[in-house]
């Protein structure tokens, strides 16, 4: 096809409507070969980002001197690495972050900070495009807020206190700034200043941007990094019913987004943490690597995060003022399990106790453990994740330090008293006053301090049994109400423009999906002992075509074109044209996790048939050239 007929082509005309035709003409060779590439817009973008002069030098370089725009492994940078087989983890367990690094998707730069390499960036770009699609269906508009935010604003909202994991810094004029971990404050300021009337609502704004968190213990690669990419949507409505309708709409859009990924996910009721608000849901991918525990009932639709504990207000009472005797001489010290916590101000040490699990109990698969979230729900000042709380308490030199005792309600009263007697004998520091934590009903035993376990009775329906699953959180929806609009004074006028008009605070929602997290969580959920596995919709390339020998590359190119032409089998593909042996190419393709591999191997040499491999569907089959596109398309439709 020459350049003129190229222009005649319907799709190309559309393309040229939006680009610099002159630039494209300078790129005559490119125009000729763009024909046949299905993902034209994307291909063009690659060239459109070069100036004329750059294009010349681009062609001088051998690496780019392949006369077409097809994706080829020789021109797609990926660090050469040892194959996965040679670097098997010792414990036999696959770590998806190790796999992502080995397969050339990411490289760690510093603790909790990662570079994305071309393969990783393609996955991230596809996640972003999928998010754009579903946010658009929700009628949300895309914005991009600055990563810098003023500390003053965060002081106003009350979220910048001691112990927050925020990167803060001062500029040369000593103004105080922070790197935003999230944007509730800034978006409330922005919308509050620009929207004045209820007629301008609802407003739905989202962005996909880098967020920062001064994580004390970065771990698990992209799952808990100090810089991460997130989609955050903020919604503004005039009243609660409208805000709840929006909330339901967001949940429906989220479900469609996760459905399209075609991976199993769990939606659970969750706590709002330091976000504020009361209604929130989490989206999880089940994974043994997950740091969350999700409880689901075998009978009803009760699904919640272990962190979600609803407890009444507790009170504390000085031990000496309690109306019971503590035995002075003990025959036997009760065997209770202890967990120790400290409050944020380091003034109180909290010692929580539960029973060892009865050996004969039906659900006794593991030991009882104190649920730290239950302790925090009862005493919100408790800090979680603190190492050596006792040492910190004793070294804080506090003069007002006190020790709180909490007992789970499975502990008998006499055992609790015996424990207190022992504690009083060895109280340290000896002069620290001892307090007992009492339940809302005044009992010294607190209900549900123990971590729920698989097999426990469901608290919602009491008919089903609880299953506890480890999972990775990848999305969260919050109905915030007026948590931010009130403190930052974001109001709209309601009612007709007359004397009866009055102002109300906007009802807000915020809804996140962790893009970096989703990449790592998907890698974790679908990887196997051979390598990664990507859902089609976010795979770096949907299909890779591998020749038996390098001299067969042109036949692979013909397969590539067949895949993308007519009723196309896939949206993108890549040809492995490198001078490498076919076995190591196949191994690498498995490690990277392309959904489908087309191999021109023995069957192709002998009978002209193509070997199609799909590890996730356990397919390895030879098909004829006529069947190839349809066969690959049907595989991809399942992935
Ligand atoms: Zn139930």
């Amino acid at each position: 096809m020459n350049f003129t007929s190229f222009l005649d082509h319907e799709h190309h005309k559309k393309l040229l409507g939006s680009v610099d035709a002159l630039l494209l003409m300078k790129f005559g060779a490119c125009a000729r070969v763009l024909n046949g590439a299905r993902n034209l817009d994307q291909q063009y973008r690659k060239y459109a980002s070069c100036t004329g002069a750059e294009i010349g030098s681009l062609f001088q370089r051998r690496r780019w001197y392949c006369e077409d725009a097809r994706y080829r492994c020789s021109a797609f940078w990926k660090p050469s690495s040892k194959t996965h087989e040679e670097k098997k983890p010792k414990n036999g367990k696959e770590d998806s972050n190790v796999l992502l690094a080995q397969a050339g998707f990411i490289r760690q730069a510093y603790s909790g900070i990662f570079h994305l390499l071309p393969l990783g960036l393609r996955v991230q770009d596809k996640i972003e495009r999928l998010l754009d699609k579903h946010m658009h269906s929700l009628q949300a508009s895309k914005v991009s807020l600055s990563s810098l935010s003023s500390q003053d604003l965060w002081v106003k909202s009350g979220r910048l206190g001691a112990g927050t994991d925020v990167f803060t810094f001062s500029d040369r004029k000593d103004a105080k700034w922070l790197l935003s971990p999230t944007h509730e404050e800034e978006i409330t300021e922005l919308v509050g200043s620009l929207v004045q009337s209820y007629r301008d609502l609802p407003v739905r704004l989202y962005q996909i941007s880098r967020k920062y968190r001064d994580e004390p213990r970065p771990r698990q690669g992209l799952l808990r990094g100090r810089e991460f990419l997130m989609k955050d949507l903020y919604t503004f409505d005039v009243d609660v019913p409208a805000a709840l309708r929006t909330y339901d709409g967001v949940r429906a859009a989220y479900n469609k987004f996760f459905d399209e990924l075609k991976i199993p996910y769990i939606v659970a009721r969750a706590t709002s943490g330091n976000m504020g608000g009361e209604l929130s849901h989490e989206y999880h991918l089940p994974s043994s690597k997950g740091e969350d525990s999700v409880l689901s009932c075998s009978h009803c639709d009760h699904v919640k995060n272990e962190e979600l504990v609803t407890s009444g207000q507790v009170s504390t009472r000085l031990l000496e003022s309690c109306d019971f005797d503590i035995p002075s001489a003990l025959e036997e010290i009760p065997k209770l399990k202890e967990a120790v916590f400290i409050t944020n101000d380091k003034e109180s040490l909290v010692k929580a106790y539960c029973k060892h699990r009865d050996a004969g109990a039906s659900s006794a698969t593991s030991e009882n453990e104190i649920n730290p979230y239950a302790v925090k729900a009862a005493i919100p000042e408790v800090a979680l994740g603190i190492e050596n709380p006792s040492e910190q308490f004793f070294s804080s030199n506090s003069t007002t330090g006190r020790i709180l005792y909490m007992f789970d309600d499975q502990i008998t009263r006499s055992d609790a008293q015996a424990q207190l007697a022992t504690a009083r004998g060895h109280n340290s520091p000896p002069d620290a006053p001892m307090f007992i934590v009492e339940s809302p009903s005044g009992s010294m035993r607190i209900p549900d301090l123990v971590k729920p376990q698989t097999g426990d009775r469901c608290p919602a329906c009491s008919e089903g049994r609880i299953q506890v699953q480890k999972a990775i959180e990848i999305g969260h929806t919050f109905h915030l109400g007026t948590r931010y609009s009130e403190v930052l004074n974001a109001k709209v006028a309601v009612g007709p423009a007359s004397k009866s008009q009055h102002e109300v605070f906007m009802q807000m929602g915020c809804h996140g999906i962790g893009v970096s997290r989703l990449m790592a969580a998907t890698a974790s959920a679908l990887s196997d002992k051979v390598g990664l596995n990507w859902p089609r919709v976010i795979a770096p390339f949907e299909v890779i075509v591998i020749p038996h020998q390098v001299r067969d590359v042109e036949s692979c190119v013909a397969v590539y074109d067949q895949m993308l032409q007519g009723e196309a089998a896939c949206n993108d593909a890549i040809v492995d044209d490198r001078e490498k042996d076919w076995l190591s190419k196949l191994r690498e393709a498995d490690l990277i996790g392309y959904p489908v591999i087309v191999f021109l191997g023995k069957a192709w040499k002998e009978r002209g048939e193509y070997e199609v491999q799909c590890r996730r569907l356990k397919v390895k089959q030879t098909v004829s050239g006529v069947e190839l596109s349809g066969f690959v398309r049907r595989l991809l439709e399942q992935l």
Side-chain angles (χ1 to χ4, degrees):
M1 191 184 274
N2 62 30
F3 191 62
T4 319
S5 59
F6 169 84
L7 287 178
D8 287 337
H9 194 282
E10 190 62 27
H11 184 73
H12 296 192
K13 265 198 291 188
K14 220 187 330 176
L15 177 70
L16 281 174
S18 63
V19 300
D20 183 352
L22 189 68
L23 175 62
L24 196 59
M25 281 171 76
K26 282 186 183 175
F27 221 146
C30 158
R32 177 161 47 82
V33 292
L34 273 174
N35 163 42
R38 187 174 139 82
N39 41 352
L40 249 185
D41 303 71
Q42 201 184 341
Q43 302 287 9
Y44 183 74
R45 226 173 287 138
K46 190 164 94 188
Y47 298 112
S49 63
C50 308
T51 64
E54 280 170 348
I55 290 167
S57 69
L58 202 65
F59 269 113
Q60 301 299 317
R61 287 156 59 193
R62 199 185 170 281
R63 177 179 275 277
W64 282 79
Y65 197 77
C66 87
E67 276 214 350
D68 66 47
R70 297 179 186 93
Y71 283 106
R72 294 167 185 260
C73 288
S74 62
F76 187 88
W77 188 71
K78 178 193 158 309
S80 50
S81 58
K82 291 187 169 181
T83 62
H84 184 48
E85 290 295 316
E86 294 157 29
K87 280 177 80 177
K88 273 222 175 303
K90 279 180 190 151
N91 59 5
K93 278 193 174 175
E94 302 306 317
D95 184 318
S96 59
N97 285 294
V98 173
L99 282 178
L100 283 172
Q102 278 180 350
F105 287 74
I106 56 170
R107 271 293 180 281
Q108 180 164 344
Y110 308 98
S111 169
I113 296 173
F114 293 84
H115 295 311
L116 234 58
L117 306 188
L119 279 173
L121 188 59
R122 277 189 77 86
V123 173
Q124 180 175 295
D125 283 347
K126 287 191 176 184
I127 296 174
E128 288 189 42
R129 254 177 276 155
L130 192 63
L131 283 165
D132 284 337
K133 173 182 155 186
H134 289 282
M135 289 300 104
H136 177 65
S137 73
L138 195 64
Q139 278 129 47
S141 304
K142 197 171 185 176
V143 292
S144 177
L145 302 193
S146 169
S147 294
L148 304 186
S149 183
S150 143
Q151 287 187 27
D152 290 347
L153 188 61
W154 284 64
V155 169
K156 243 195 235 176
S157 74
R159 281 211 294 179
L160 194 68
T164 49
D165 303 335
V166 180
F167 279 109
T168 54
F169 64 98
S170 307
D171 66 14
R172 64 183 70 218
K173 291 173 185 158
D174 213 26
K176 304 265 187 279
W177 300 94
L178 57 83
L179 287 177
S180 286
T182 169
H183 281 92
E184 282 76 17
E185 283 80 356
E186 287 292 347
I187 202 102
T188 310
E189 279 278 288
L190 180 77
V191 173
S193 68
L194 298 175
V195 174
Q196 267 91 45
S197 163
Y198 77 98
R199 289 190 191 87
D200 300 328
L201 296 180
V203 170
R204 293 165 185 179
L205 298 174
Y206 81 100
Q207 58 174 352
I208 300 176
S209 66
R210 292 185 186 212
K211 307 275 191 284
Y212 300 87
R213 183 175 50 207
D214 192 4
E215 177 64 50
R217 287 179 300 149
R219 56 197 181 278
Q220 297 219 42
L222 296 177
L223 284 181
R224 197 162 282 273
R226 298 196 286 168
E227 180 188 58
F228 48 95
L229 197 72
M230 223 179 112
K231 187 283 304 173
D232 40 340
L233 162 73
Y234 303 92
T235 60
F236 298 82
D237 283 282
V238 68
D239 55 23
V240 175
L244 293 181
R245 279 196 300 278
T246 296
Y247 187 85
D248 289 341
V250 174
R251 286 193 57 198
Y254 270 33
N255 288 343
K256 281 186 194 148
F257 169 81
F258 289 113
D259 287 344
E260 200 164 339
L261 283 173
K262 294 192 181 146
I263 40 179
Y265 64 94
I266 314 169
V267 189
R269 278 297 303 273
T271 60
S272 298
N274 70 344
M275 277 293 179
E278 277 159 18
L279 182 60
S280 88
H281 286 85
E282 284 173 352
Y283 288 74
H284 292 268
L285 296 194
S287 162
S288 57
K289 290 279 171 359
E291 293 191 325
D292 284 87
S293 294
V294 179
L295 280 48
S296 47
C297 172
S298 59
H299 184 73
C300 69
D301 59 1
H302 177 74
V303 184
K304 67 162 194 170
N305 193 309
E306 177 187 79
E307 295 175 14
L308 181 65
V309 181
T310 43
S311 68
Q313 195 65 47
V314 296
S315 52
T316 55
R317 186 198 283 257
L318 196 63
L319 180 62
E320 278 69 29
S321 74
C322 291
D323 61 352
F324 57 79
D325 295 327
I326 291 177
S328 51
L330 287 171
E331 288 172 12
E332 199 179 352
I333 300 164
K335 287 198 180 76
L336 302 180
K337 288 196 82 172
E338 181 188 76
V340 185
F341 303 87
I342 189 167
T343 50
N344 283 314
D345 60 9
K346 299 194 174 21
E347 300 274 300
S348 305
L349 192 71
V350 180
K351 293 186 167 192
Y353 295 90
C354 65
K355 236 170 98 167
H356 283 272
R357 199 169 262 255
D358 291 337
S362 61
S363 58
T365 49
S366 55
E367 265 292 354
N368 269 343
E369 236 180 288
I370 291 285
N371 183 358
Y373 303 104
V375 175
K376 189 169 172 64
I379 307 171
E381 297 81 25
V382 160
L384 296 183
I386 303 280
E387 281 171 31
N388 304 323
S390 301
E391 275 176 35
Q392 296 218 20
F393 177 71
F394 298 136
S395 62
S396 71
N397 299 320
S398 164
T399 49
T400 52
R402 56 184 199 152
I403 304 178
L404 306 180
Y405 287 86
M406 283 179 102
F407 296 95
D408 179 67
D409 66 353
Q410 289 179 3
I411 295 174
T412 61
R413 195 182 158 89
S414 61
D415 275 355
Q417 289 175 0
Q419 183 65 41
L420 284 168
T422 323
R424 188 158 61 178
H426 304 97
N427 199 29
S428 163
D431 51 350
M434 295 168 68
F435 284 82
I436 293 172
V437 179
E438 290 186 337
S439 76
S441 62
S443 162
M444 64 176 287
R445 293 172 302 147
I446 313 290
D448 301 326
L449 270 191
V450 175
K451 265 191 184 177
Q453 291 182 20
T454 295
D456 284 354
R457 203 171 282 285
C458 169
C461 69
S462 75
E463 277 190 45
R465 296 281 173 179
I466 288 294
Q467 193 204 352
V468 183
Q469 264 177 299
K470 284 279 170 212
I472 299 173
E473 184 195 338
I474 39 177
H476 212 142
T477 55
F478 296 99
H479 166 60
L480 294 170
T482 57
R483 159 73 179 85
Y484 296 92
S485 53
E486 261 186 64
V487 284
L488 300 173
N489 203 29
K491 292 191 275 198
V492 285
V494 293
S498 68
K499 281 178 194 164
S500 60
Q501 195 170 53
H502 63 287
E503 288 184 320
V504 294
F505 294 112
M506 286 185 255
Q507 292 286 333
M508 285 176 60
C510 76
H511 314 277
I513 286 181
V515 177
S516 327
R517 266 190 156 243
L518 182 58
M519 186 193 308
T522 308
S524 170
L526 298 184
S527 63
D528 58 23
K529 63 183 193 312
V530 180
L532 297 162
N533 260 316
W534 294 102
R536 173 210 195 151
V537 70
I538 62 168
F541 294 96
E542 294 177 358
V543 175
I544 184 166
V545 190
I546 300 177
H548 191 264
Q549 281 167 310
V550 182
R551 64 165 180 263
D552 304 330
V553 161
E554 281 317 302
S555 306
C556 290
V557 168
V559 171
Y560 177 104
D561 290 348
Q562 186 190 338
M563 290 284 137
L564 295 159
Q565 275 170 348
E567 198 189 345
C570 60
N571 294 308
D572 56 12
I574 189 165
V575 174
D576 197 342
D577 59 341
R578 294 169 302 168
E579 305 240 2
K580 268 181 117 176
D581 68 285
W582 60 273
L583 190 61
S584 65
K585 284 181 183 179
L586 281 175
R587 276 202 192 134
E588 191 186 287
D590 272 334
L591 175 60
I592 289 172
Y594 300 105
V596 171
I597 299 171
V598 178
F599 180 48
L600 277 64
K602 208 172 152 207
W604 179 75
K605 277 193 180 331
E606 290 171 0
R607 307 188 297 279
E609 289 185 341
Y610 302 90
E611 184 179 308
V612 179
Q613 301 184 8
C614 174
R615 211 168 80 244
R616 213 171 135 202
L617 299 174
K618 297 187 172 58
V619 169
K620 194 182 211 173
Q621 196 174 323
T622 53
V623 296
S624 71
V626 189
E627 296 169 306
L628 184 61
S629 289
F631 188 78
V632 170
R633 191 186 317 116
R634 284 189 294 279
L635 287 178
L636 287 172
E637 279 165 5
Q638 300 170 60
L639 298 169

